[in-house]
Amino acid sequence: MSAPDEYFTHKGILFNSKVNVKSLEDIETLAVKEDDVFVATYTRSGTTWTEEILSLIYNGGDVEEVKSTPIYTRIPYVEYKYFPEGQTEYERFLELPSPRLGKTHVPYNMLPRQLQEGRGKLICVARNPKDVAVSNFYFNGMNRSFKTPASWDSFLYDFMAGNVPLGSVFDHVLGYWVHRSNPGMLFIKYEDLQKDLHGTVKKLADFVGHQLPPGTIDKIVDHCSFKSMSENPMTNYSKHPEQRCRFDTSNSEFIRKGVVGDWKNHFTDKQNEAFDKMLEDKLSGTGLEYDFGI
Ligand code: A3P
């Protein structure tokens, strides 16, 4: 695998070099429109799943329509450098007709200020951090913009120390969690999507002000199953123009396993003990809890 580009630090947070510094700066002063919606996550927490659901909520459950355009074209990843080359994703977002949907991985304090003040809508998706660690381990291994982990053990060590792009998952998610009651903000969990996809689709639809008949929700649920999304070229990134140079799918697919609790197949007892201690230190008193198995 080719060597990754260098990482860089912006406002104390590590980013991979496909992230555009100017966009990071511009995002903060974005003139947010009332009907803008952002999906914000730490990587590998259910971003794509939530994006596909939102896309369908906004088009009234028209499954055929979403089959013609890749998810990353429909919903720009606003701090990402370019797609297609020559135009940043942020510039592309600015040109979208309203209502605009955007995706971001930035920490809460780097979001558009107006979004933080309650203009537009913000959906944060969080996932139990043990599965986030495992999923990022595979993702770092297959994405050539990231440093390939030397081993699971060394990756987990770096992940727990926050020595990975986006820094500590605990700090990143808590940055959102403390604002979960802000007007215009919804905080959901990957495990909620797993436990009750129908109910969570409805919750998302209600949040963005779309009343969908139960039959439409059923259609969205069907289209957004793991099997369907992992086989769908519009969601599995197999059609991404950078796919051949950016992703090496010989080890792992972008939509990989889609379960709660895969961490049990990776963590040793010792790693699990150290992780639980860190969870206790970081989360006690915050009210943030996760499902580590369902
Ligand atoms: P795994 O690596 O554990 O399989 P993101 O979109 O934020 O990068 O998150 C990717 C993770 O979400 C991957 O986790 C991927 O498989 C999972 N995922 C994507 N679509 C899914 C779906 N429809 N059902 C369940 N999991 C899904």
Side-chain angles (χ1 to χ4, degrees), residues 32-64:
V32 176
K33 299 181 185 174
E34 276 304 348
D35 56 2
D36 284 346
V37 179
F38 285 89
V39 178
T41 59
Y42 192 89
T43 42
R44 311 302 287 169
S45 298
T47 330
T48 317
W49 200 0
T50 308
E51 288 176 276
E52 187 69 355
I53 292 167
L54 276 177
S55 235
L56 284 159
I57 289 171
Y58 271 85
N59 79 3
D62 186 345
V63 168
E64 290 313 309

Side-chain angles (χ1 to χ4, degrees), residues 167-203:
S168 158
V169 69
F170 304 101
D171 297 346
H172 193 282
V173 175
L174 282 171
Y176 282 85
W177 174 250
V178 295
H179 297 286
R180 65 194 178 283
S181 306
N182 280 11
M185 174 155 179
L186 179 69
F187 189 101
I188 61 167
K189 294 178 189 156
Y190 176 90
E191 293 77 17
D192 299 337
L193 291 161
Q194 287 276 7
K195 282 190 289 190
D196 179 11
L197 187 51
H198 193 285
T200 312
V201 170
K202 181 165 181 344
K203 190 177 200 175

